[in-house]
């Protein structure tokens, strides 16, 4: 549904093929229902501007970037993307790791990623 309606009371109509969202008895969104358990569909127009910037990223692009930094960074980014139901849920952590490389350098980032892999800590926080 449009992000402007998050936390607002809405009605939802679900059929075998469609999901509709109504706000104050007006249809504000209609999506084809995913047949995949846990599946989802997103319309770009419903996303806040700050989320739209993530559309230019793909799991393959993030993993490729990480591989240029080093094998530990690549393994950590792969683990982060694999640990979520939808890879996009891990983008924020992966992009946070990218920022750490700019701030601390690749050698220090590789060491931090090695440690994160050892303790299976797949989120991004300050070093």
């Amino acid at each position: 549904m449009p992000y402007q309606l998050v936390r607002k009371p809405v009605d939802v109509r679900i059929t075998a093929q469609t999901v509709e969202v109504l706000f104050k008895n007006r249809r504000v969104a209609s999506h084809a229902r995913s047949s995949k358990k846990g599946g989802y569909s997103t319309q770009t127009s419903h996303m806040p501007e700050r989320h739209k910037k993530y559309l230019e990223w793909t799991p393959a692009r993030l993993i490729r970037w990480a591989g240029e930094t080093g094998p530990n960074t690549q393994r950590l980014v792969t683990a982060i993307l694999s640990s979520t139901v939808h890879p996009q849920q891990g983008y924020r952590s992966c992009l946070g790791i990218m920022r750490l490389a700019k701030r601390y350098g690749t050698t220090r980032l590789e060491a931090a990623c090695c440690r994160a892999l050892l303790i299976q800590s797949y989120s991004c926080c300050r070093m």
Side-chain angles (χ1 to χ4, degrees):
M1 70 181 190
Y3 72 94
Q4 296 91 337
L5 297 178
V6 170
R7 301 186 202 278
K8 303 260 172 104
V10 297
D11 293 308
V12 178
R13 264 190 252 173
I14 302 172
T15 69
Q17 289 83 27
T18 309
V19 176
E20 293 180 306
V21 179
L22 297 103
F23 180 68
K24 296 184 179 180
N25 294 319
R26 285 190 58 203
R27 186 172 73 174
V28 294
S30 179
H31 290 271
R33 185 173 177 181
S34 174
S35 59
K36 182 179 176 186
K37 185 174 182 170
Y40 67 98
S41 64
T42 302
Q43 291 181 1
T44 306
S45 62
H46 293 172
M47 298 172 74
E49 289 301 318
R50 69 179 189 272
H51 289 190
K52 289 180 185 177
K53 68 181 178 184
Y54 294 119
L55 294 176
E56 63 192 53
W57 292 97
T58 63
R61 183 177 176 195
L62 289 166
I63 292 168
R64 187 173 51 251
W65 163 84
E68 292 170 5
T69 302
N72 292 319
T73 306
Q74 186 173 35
R75 285 180 40 228
L76 180 60
V77 165
T78 302
I80 289 168
L81 296 174
S82 299
S83 69
T84 60
V85 177
H86 307 291
Q88 294 82 356
Q89 294 170 330
Y91 283 13
R92 193 171 180 161
S93 290
C94 294
L95 293 172
I97 290 169
M98 290 176 78
R99 283 189 300 278
L100 291 174
K102 290 178 182 177
R103 185 170 181 179
Y104 296 104
T106 58
T107 303
R108 190 166 175 197
L109 177 59
E110 264 295 285
C113 289
C114 180
R115 177 150 173 78
L117 288 162
L118 286 172
I119 63 172
Q120 296 182 345
S121 177
Y122 303 145
S123 63
C124 181
C125 60
R126 293 183 177 207
M127 289 200 298

